[in-house]
Amino acid sequence: VVAKQESYFFFSSARIENIAVKVGDYVEAGQVLATADLEDAMDVLRGYNAALANENAAFAVKQELYEAQHSELEYKIMGAEETGLSSTELKKQLEILEENNRYDVKLHDFNVSSINKKIAEQNKITSDGNLVATKSGYVTYVKNIKETNAVSVSDAVVIIADPDDLYVESEYFTENPSDRRAFPNYTALYTVID
């Protein structure tokens, strides 16, 4: 019978200022496990906001250029049709320009969405900088921050085992060869007990 473990991590890169627990400690739900360096977190947030502003400014310039090129091609097509000249090549250029703009709009939307997700995650850190336990249990792992206090996205900072939330772990041994073929790659099977 093994206690279920839960990893606690920051959802964005951060520098850890303090880890408030050590292996073997019993923690209660709501207890602060670690604190991020808020000054460093604010610098990262400012960087994300600058990246968003740059993305929007670059897109605005592209859109102005697109609109000017689009108007020019429409004007040339209209002129060619009024004078009886072929506008087929100009229409192809217009189609290509419009397709490229659709791609640019989708790429811009994707970039803005990605940056906004990073900003939202960084805002969670900058609000108070605390990593808080959601369950009670015993601390089974604490990240060593003596070498470096930086953590990447989803690096486990603290792991807590909850002795009230157990599951059974058993080795898979059988003499029946047909049973063995059913799970050839598994040496252990797990069952969660509620």
Side-chain angles (χ1 to χ4, degrees), residues 23-130:
V23 172
D25 287 353
Y26 184 82
V27 296
E28 296 287 338
Q31 183 175 336
V32 174
L33 304 173
T35 304
D37 179 345
L38 290 180
E39 186 174 318
D40 186 60
M42 288 301 295
D43 287 343
V44 171
L45 182 60
R46 282 189 283 276
Y48 289 150
N49 284 321
L52 182 60
N54 288 338
E55 173 65 28
N56 286 327
F59 181 71
V61 169
K62 279 185 180 179
Q63 284 305 106
E64 285 179 22
L65 180 60
Y66 163 75
E67 289 170 11
Q69 291 173 337
H70 193 274
S71 295
E72 181 182 349
L73 280 172
E74 283 183 328
Y75 180 75
K76 286 181 178 180
I77 291 169
M78 203 168 37
E81 289 173 348
E82 286 177 0
T83 59
L85 298 174
S86 174
S87 61
T88 306
E89 185 61 35
L90 292 170
K91 287 180 180 178
K92 285 181 185 177
Q93 289 177 16
L94 184 63
E95 287 176 14
I96 291 169
L97 181 68
E98 289 171 344
E99 179 61 29
N100 287 342
N101 185 61
R102 283 190 290 276
Y103 172 79
D104 286 343
V105 168
K106 287 184 185 240
L107 180 61
H108 170 70
D109 291 346
F110 174 78
N111 288 341
V112 167
S113 174
S114 296
I115 295 169
N116 280 331
K117 284 179 185 175
K118 290 176 182 179
I119 288 171
E121 295 301 336
Q122 199 65 26
N123 276 329
K124 290 177 186 175
I125 294 174
T126 58
S127 64
D128 69 359
N130 291 330

Side-chain angles (χ1 to χ4, degrees), residues 4-11 21 26-34 124 130-139 158-165:
K4 185 177 177 185
Q5 295 188 25
E6 188 159 337
S7 294
Y8 291 89
F9 51 87
F10 291 103
F11 287 95
V21 295
Y26 184 82
V27 296
E28 296 287 338
Q31 183 175 336
V32 174
L33 304 173
K124 290 177 186 175
N130 291 330
L131 189 60
V132 178
T134 57
K135 290 186 168 188
S136 299
Y138 289 95
V139 176
V158 175
I159 298 176
I160 296 175
D162 182 358
D164 295 327
D165 191 2

